[in-house]
Amino acid sequence: MQHRARKRFGQNFLHDPGIIARIVGAISPQPDDCMVEIGPGQGAITLRLLEALRHLHAVELDRDLIGPLTAAAGDHGALTLHQADALAFDFRSLAPSPQALRVVGNLPYNISTPILFHLLDQLGAIRDMHFMLQKEVVARMAAPPGSRTFGRLSVMVQVACKVQNLFDIGPGAFRPAPKVDSAFVRLTPLAAPPAIHHREGFEQLVAAAFSQRRKTLRNSLKKIATEEQIRAADIDLTIRPERLSPLDFVRLANHLFLQGQGD
Ligand code: SAH
Protein backbone atom coordinates (compact mmCIF):
# COMPACT_ATOMS: atom_id res chain seq x y z
CA MET A 1 0.00 0.00 0.00
CA GLN A 2 1.51 3.33 -1.06
CA HIS A 3 0.87 6.06 1.46
CA ARG A 4 3.17 8.77 2.72
CA ALA A 5 2.95 8.88 6.50
CA ARG A 6 1.55 12.20 7.67
CA LYS A 7 3.10 13.80 10.69
CA ARG A 8 0.09 15.95 11.50
CA PHE A 9 -2.02 12.80 11.86
CA GLY A 10 0.58 11.25 14.15
CA GLN A 11 1.15 8.42 11.69
CA ASN A 12 3.67 5.80 12.74
CA PHE A 13 2.68 2.51 11.19
CA LEU A 14 3.48 -0.79 12.87
CA HIS A 15 5.34 -3.22 10.63
CA ASP A 16 6.93 -5.76 12.98
CA PRO A 17 4.82 -8.97 12.68
CA GLY A 18 6.06 -10.28 16.04
CA ILE A 19 4.97 -7.11 17.84
CA ILE A 20 1.64 -7.05 16.00
CA ALA A 21 1.00 -10.67 17.07
CA ARG A 22 1.88 -9.78 20.65
CA ILE A 23 -0.55 -6.85 20.63
CA VAL A 24 -3.38 -8.93 19.18
CA GLY A 25 -2.58 -11.69 21.71
CA ALA A 26 -2.89 -9.21 24.59
CA ILE A 27 -6.23 -7.94 23.23
CA SER A 28 -7.41 -11.55 22.80
CA PRO A 29 -10.31 -10.82 20.42
CA GLN A 30 -13.27 -13.24 20.64
CA PRO A 31 -15.59 -13.70 17.62
CA ASP A 32 -18.62 -11.91 19.09
CA ASP A 33 -16.77 -9.01 20.74
CA CYS A 34 -18.05 -5.55 19.92
CA MET A 35 -14.78 -3.79 19.14
CA VAL A 36 -13.66 -0.46 17.72
CA GLU A 37 -10.17 0.44 16.59
CA ILE A 38 -9.05 4.07 16.69
CA GLY A 39 -6.66 5.04 13.88
CA PRO A 40 -6.43 1.80 11.85
CA GLY A 41 -3.98 3.45 9.46
CA GLN A 42 -2.87 0.87 6.90
CA GLY A 43 -4.44 -1.95 8.85
CA ALA A 44 -1.47 -3.46 10.69
CA ILE A 45 -3.60 -4.43 13.68
CA THR A 46 -6.96 -4.18 11.89
CA LEU A 47 -6.45 -7.12 9.53
CA ARG A 48 -5.36 -9.44 12.36
CA LEU A 49 -8.39 -8.40 14.45
CA LEU A 50 -10.74 -8.93 11.50
CA GLU A 51 -9.56 -12.50 11.17
CA ALA A 52 -10.60 -13.18 14.77
CA LEU A 53 -13.83 -11.17 14.88
CA ARG A 54 -17.18 -11.44 13.12
CA HIS A 55 -17.19 -7.66 12.77
CA LEU A 56 -15.02 -4.65 13.59
CA HIS A 57 -15.60 -0.88 13.71
CA ALA A 58 -12.73 1.50 13.00
CA VAL A 59 -12.50 5.29 13.27
CA GLU A 60 -9.94 6.89 10.94
CA LEU A 61 -9.50 10.62 10.29
CA ASP A 62 -7.28 10.51 7.19
CA ARG A 63 -9.53 10.29 4.10
CA ASP A 64 -6.69 9.01 1.96
CA LEU A 65 -6.48 5.82 4.01
CA ILE A 66 -10.16 4.90 3.72
CA GLY A 67 -10.04 3.50 0.17
CA PRO A 68 -6.89 1.39 0.56
CA LEU A 69 -7.99 0.11 3.94
CA THR A 70 -11.43 -0.89 2.67
CA ALA A 71 -9.75 -2.78 -0.17
CA ALA A 72 -7.25 -4.48 2.15
CA ALA A 73 -9.95 -5.50 4.61
CA GLY A 74 -12.02 -7.10 1.84
CA ASP A 75 -10.66 -10.61 2.15
CA HIS A 76 -10.14 -10.53 5.90
CA GLY A 77 -13.57 -9.84 7.35
CA ALA A 78 -16.39 -7.41 8.03
CA LEU A 79 -15.09 -3.90 8.68
CA THR A 80 -17.24 -0.79 9.23
CA LEU A 81 -15.02 2.23 8.65
CA HIS A 82 -16.06 5.56 10.13
CA GLN A 83 -14.17 8.44 8.53
CA ALA A 84 -14.24 10.71 11.57
CA ASP A 85 -12.27 12.44 14.28
CA ALA A 86 -11.97 10.14 17.30
CA LEU A 87 -11.93 13.22 19.54
CA ALA A 88 -15.51 14.02 18.56
CA PHE A 89 -16.76 10.49 17.95
CA ASP A 90 -19.71 9.12 19.93
CA PHE A 91 -18.34 5.71 20.93
CA ARG A 92 -21.47 5.01 22.96
CA SER A 93 -23.41 4.79 19.70
CA LEU A 94 -21.49 1.60 18.81
CA ALA A 95 -22.22 -0.25 22.05
CA PRO A 96 -25.27 -2.53 21.90
CA SER A 97 -25.44 -2.63 25.71
CA PRO A 98 -23.64 -1.04 28.69
CA GLN A 99 -20.00 -2.08 29.23
CA ALA A 100 -19.92 -3.90 25.90
CA LEU A 101 -17.46 -1.97 23.80
CA ARG A 102 -13.81 -2.96 23.53
CA VAL A 103 -11.62 -0.08 22.34
CA VAL A 104 -8.17 -0.61 20.84
CA GLY A 105 -5.64 1.51 19.02
CA ASN A 106 -2.12 2.53 18.26
CA LEU A 107 -3.06 6.11 19.05
CA PRO A 108 -1.69 9.23 17.42
CA TYR A 109 0.64 10.32 20.23
CA ASN A 110 0.06 14.05 19.74
CA ILE A 111 -3.59 13.71 20.80
CA SER A 112 -3.50 10.58 22.97
CA THR A 113 -4.35 12.35 26.26
CA PRO A 114 -7.41 14.21 24.87
CA ILE A 115 -8.62 10.94 23.28
CA LEU A 116 -8.25 9.20 26.63
CA PHE A 117 -10.27 11.87 28.43
CA HIS A 118 -12.91 11.71 25.70
CA LEU A 119 -13.19 7.94 26.29
CA LEU A 120 -13.23 8.28 30.08
CA ASP A 121 -16.36 10.42 29.60
CA GLN A 122 -18.04 7.48 27.84
CA LEU A 123 -16.85 4.76 30.16
CA GLY A 124 -20.33 3.40 30.82
CA ALA A 125 -20.29 1.89 27.32
CA ILE A 126 -16.82 0.39 27.60
CA ARG A 127 -15.64 -3.07 28.64
CA ASP A 128 -11.91 -2.50 28.23
CA MET A 129 -9.32 -0.49 26.30
CA HIS A 130 -5.94 -1.44 24.87
CA PHE A 131 -3.63 1.30 23.66
CA MET A 132 -0.21 1.83 22.26
CA LEU A 133 1.07 5.06 23.74
CA GLN A 134 4.25 6.92 24.37
CA LYS A 135 6.04 5.03 27.15
CA GLU A 136 6.13 8.07 29.47
CA VAL A 137 2.37 8.50 29.15
CA VAL A 138 1.75 4.87 30.15
CA ALA A 139 4.18 5.32 33.06
CA ARG A 140 2.19 8.35 34.25
CA MET A 141 -1.12 6.51 33.90
CA ALA A 142 0.14 3.54 35.93
CA ALA A 143 2.20 5.47 38.52
CA PRO A 144 1.41 4.71 42.17
CA PRO A 145 0.96 7.58 44.65
CA GLY A 146 4.26 8.84 45.99
CA SER A 147 6.19 8.18 42.79
CA ARG A 148 7.80 10.94 40.75
CA THR A 149 5.52 10.42 37.76
CA PHE A 150 2.28 10.30 39.76
CA GLY A 151 0.19 13.27 38.63
CA ARG A 152 -3.06 14.54 37.17
CA LEU A 153 -3.25 11.83 34.51
CA SER A 154 -2.61 9.08 37.10
CA VAL A 155 -5.43 10.33 39.32
CA MET A 156 -7.95 10.90 36.52
CA VAL A 157 -7.34 7.44 35.02
CA GLN A 158 -7.02 5.50 38.29
CA VAL A 159 -10.32 6.73 39.78
CA ALA A 160 -12.01 5.13 36.77
CA CYS A 161 -9.88 2.21 35.57
CA LYS A 162 -7.45 -0.48 36.54
CA VAL A 163 -4.22 0.21 34.62
CA GLN A 164 -1.92 -2.56 33.40
CA ASN A 165 1.35 -1.59 31.74
CA LEU A 166 1.73 -4.70 29.56
CA PHE A 167 4.98 -4.29 27.60
CA ASP A 168 7.36 -1.80 26.00
CA ILE A 169 7.95 -1.43 22.27
CA GLY A 170 10.98 0.24 20.71
CA PRO A 171 10.85 2.76 17.82
CA GLY A 172 12.05 0.12 15.33
CA ALA A 173 8.64 -1.59 15.26
CA PHE A 174 7.15 1.44 13.43
CA ARG A 175 7.56 3.17 10.10
CA PRO A 176 8.54 5.91 10.27
CA ALA A 177 10.23 5.25 13.61
CA PRO A 178 8.97 7.66 16.29
CA LYS A 179 11.50 9.57 18.39
CA VAL A 180 10.10 8.07 21.59
CA ASP A 181 9.68 4.63 23.13
CA SER A 182 6.20 3.15 23.28
CA ALA A 183 4.28 0.92 25.66
CA PHE A 184 1.11 -1.13 25.39
CA VAL A 185 -1.44 -0.62 28.14
CA ARG A 186 -4.74 -2.21 29.21
CA LEU A 187 -7.41 -0.12 30.95
CA THR A 188 -10.33 -1.92 32.59
CA PRO A 189 -13.15 0.20 34.03
CA LEU A 190 -13.48 -0.40 37.79
CA ALA A 191 -16.48 -2.52 38.74
CA ALA A 192 -17.16 -0.22 41.69
CA PRO A 193 -15.55 3.15 41.00
CA PRO A 194 -15.57 5.73 43.83
CA ALA A 195 -18.59 8.05 43.59
CA ILE A 196 -17.50 11.53 42.54
CA HIS A 197 -20.28 13.90 43.60
CA HIS A 198 -19.22 16.87 41.56
CA ARG A 199 -17.21 16.03 38.48
CA GLU A 200 -16.11 19.55 37.58
CA GLY A 201 -15.04 20.34 41.11
CA PHE A 202 -13.03 17.15 41.27
CA GLU A 203 -11.25 17.95 37.99
CA GLN A 204 -10.49 21.48 39.18
CA LEU A 205 -9.12 20.21 42.47
CA VAL A 206 -6.79 17.68 40.84
CA ALA A 207 -5.59 20.22 38.25
CA ALA A 208 -4.92 22.84 40.94
CA ALA A 209 -3.11 20.39 43.24
CA PHE A 210 -0.69 19.38 40.48
CA SER A 211 -0.36 22.79 38.82
CA GLN A 212 2.69 23.36 40.98
CA ARG A 213 3.61 19.92 42.13
CA ARG A 214 6.54 21.03 44.28
CA LYS A 215 4.26 23.13 46.45
CA THR A 216 2.37 21.90 49.49
CA LEU A 217 -1.38 21.49 49.30
CA ARG A 218 -1.73 24.52 51.59
CA ASN A 219 -0.27 26.67 48.79
CA SER A 220 -1.59 25.03 45.67
CA LEU A 221 -5.19 24.75 46.90
CA LYS A 222 -5.48 28.30 48.26
CA LYS A 223 -7.90 29.40 45.56
CA ILE A 224 -10.09 26.33 45.91
CA ALA A 225 -10.49 25.75 49.61
CA THR A 226 -9.79 27.18 53.03
CA GLU A 227 -7.29 25.46 55.32
CA GLU A 228 -10.17 24.54 57.63
CA GLN A 229 -12.04 22.80 54.82
CA ILE A 230 -8.98 20.78 53.82
CA ARG A 231 -8.25 19.81 57.42
CA ALA A 232 -11.88 18.84 57.95
CA ALA A 233 -11.50 16.28 55.16
CA ASP A 234 -8.62 14.81 57.19
CA ILE A 235 -5.98 15.83 54.64
CA ASP A 236 -2.53 17.00 55.74
CA LEU A 237 -1.87 20.52 54.42
CA THR A 238 1.89 20.23 54.62
CA ILE A 239 2.33 17.48 52.03
CA ARG A 240 2.80 17.68 48.28
CA PRO A 241 0.06 16.45 45.95
CA GLU A 242 1.78 13.20 44.92
CA ARG A 243 1.37 11.94 48.49
CA LEU A 244 -2.42 11.80 48.17
CA SER A 245 -4.00 8.66 46.72
CA PRO A 246 -6.67 8.90 43.99
CA LEU A 247 -9.24 8.05 46.69
CA ASP A 248 -7.94 10.89 48.89
CA PHE A 249 -8.61 13.28 46.01
CA VAL A 250 -12.15 11.94 45.64
CA ARG A 251 -12.76 12.28 49.38
CA LEU A 252 -11.46 15.84 49.47
CA ALA A 253 -13.44 16.85 46.37
CA ASN A 254 -16.63 15.30 47.76
CA HIS A 255 -16.03 17.26 50.93
CA LEU A 256 -15.48 20.57 49.13
CA PHE A 257 -18.08 20.27 46.41
CA LEU A 258 -21.35 18.96 47.71
CA GLN A 259 -23.66 16.76 45.74
CA GLY A 260 -25.93 18.66 43.35
CA GLN A 261 -23.92 21.86 43.68
CA GLY A 262 -23.40 23.48 40.30
CA ASP A 263 -24.83 20.49 38.41
N1 SAH B 1 -2.96 1.43 13.72
C1 SAH B 1 -2.02 1.75 12.68
C2 SAH B 1 -1.76 3.26 12.55
C3 SAH B 1 -1.27 3.97 13.78
S1 SAH B 1 -0.79 5.65 13.45
C4 SAH B 1 -0.73 1.00 12.93
O1 SAH B 1 -0.52 0.57 14.05
O2 SAH B 1 0.06 0.85 12.01
C5 SAH B 1 -2.17 6.57 14.07
C6 SAH B 1 -3.41 6.53 13.19
O3 SAH B 1 -4.40 7.39 13.76
C7 SAH B 1 -3.19 7.03 11.76
O4 SAH B 1 -3.82 6.16 10.87
C8 SAH B 1 -3.86 8.41 11.76
O5 SAH B 1 -4.33 8.81 10.47
C9 SAH B 1 -5.00 8.18 12.71
N2 SAH B 1 -5.51 9.40 13.34
C10 SAH B 1 -4.85 10.55 13.63
N3 SAH B 1 -5.64 11.43 14.25
C11 SAH B 1 -6.86 10.84 14.35
C12 SAH B 1 -8.12 11.25 14.89
N4 SAH B 1 -8.27 12.45 15.45
N5 SAH B 1 -9.16 10.39 14.83
C13 SAH B 1 -9.02 9.16 14.26
N6 SAH B 1 -7.86 8.72 13.74
C14 SAH B 1 -6.79 9.54 13.78
Side-chain angles (χ1 to χ4, degrees):
M1 204 184 296
Q2 287 302 315
H3 177 84
R4 262 194 70 212
R6 291 203 172 87
K7 214 170 173 176
R8 73 187 160 100
F9 289 138
Q11 293 178 349
N12 298 98
F13 299 116
L14 274 166
H15 72 90
D16 181 325
I19 298 286
I20 293 166
R22 203 161 168 210
I23 287 169
V24 174
I27 296 168
S28 182
Q30 303 301 311
D32 289 320
D33 286 349
C34 175
M35 195 177 288
V36 58
E37 183 185 4
I38 299 175
Q42 298 176 309
I45 309 172
T46 323
L47 301 186
R48 300 286 86 80
L49 292 175
L50 276 174
E51 285 162 1
L53 296 168
R54 272 190 238 293
H55 173 259
L56 174 68
H57 290 282
V59 180
E60 173 58 59
L61 182 59
D62 187 350
R63 284 172 205 283
D64 292 350
L65 289 170
I66 301 295
L69 193 53
T70 307
D75 329 324
H76 289 78
L79 177 67
T80 304
L81 254 175
H82 306 264
Q83 196 262 311
D85 181 353
L87 284 170
F89 194 81
D90 181 7
F91 289 92
R92 272 175 294 227
S93 68
L94 304 180
S97 55
Q99 282 126 45
L101 190 62
R102 307 193 67 199
V103 185
V104 307
N106 169 12
L107 296 186
Y109 293 176
N110 50 347
I111 52 164
S112 57
T113 310
I115 289 183
L116 257 157
F117 279 101
H118 181 59
L119 288 162
L120 289 176
D121 281 342
Q122 307 182 47
L123 215 55
I126 294 173
R127 187 174 118 201
D128 59 18
M129 305 188 267
H130 288 83
F131 296 126
M132 176 87 76
L133 295 165
Q134 189 174 333
K135 187 175 164 177
E136 286 74 17
V137 175
V138 173
R140 275 160 50 206
M141 286 166 54
S147 68
R148 216 167 35 82
T149 44
F150 182 76
R152 178 171 170 249
L153 186 64
S154 329
V155 174
M156 298 312 291
V157 173
Q158 290 171 25
V159 293
C161 296
K162 178 171 124 184
V163 183
Q164 290 168 279
N165 187 347
L166 297 178
F167 47 85
D168 293 346
I169 298 156
F174 306 86
R175 276 198 197 117
K179 291 198 176 68
V180 295
D181 284 324
S182 302
F184 197 63
V185 67
R186 176 184 298 139
L187 301 176
T188 315
L190 298 175
I196 296 170
H197 296 160
H198 190 289
R199 188 75 206 175
E200 237 172 76
F202 173 72
E203 286 172 12
Q204 269 175 27
L205 170 73
V206 176
F210 287 105
S211 62
Q212 289 159 302
R213 55 179 297 134
R214 301 186 59 79
K215 289 200 173 173
T216 62
L217 295 172
R218 172 181 281 124
N219 283 318
S220 55
L221 296 183
K222 254 185 191 140
K223 289 200 183 111
I224 293 211
T226 65
E227 294 195 6
E228 289 68 38
Q229 284 178 308
I230 301 174
R231 264 197 221 100
D234 215 13
I235 301 282
D236 182 354
L237 284 159
T238 66
I239 60 173
R240 290 179 180 170
E242 68 268 21
R243 296 273 308 281
L244 293 187
S245 72
L247 286 180
D248 288 332
F249 278 104
V250 173
R251 185 160 47 86
L252 180 54
N254 285 349
H255 200 84
L256 297 176
F257 307 96
L258 300 176
Q259 197 152 20
Q261 191 186 317
D263 282 351

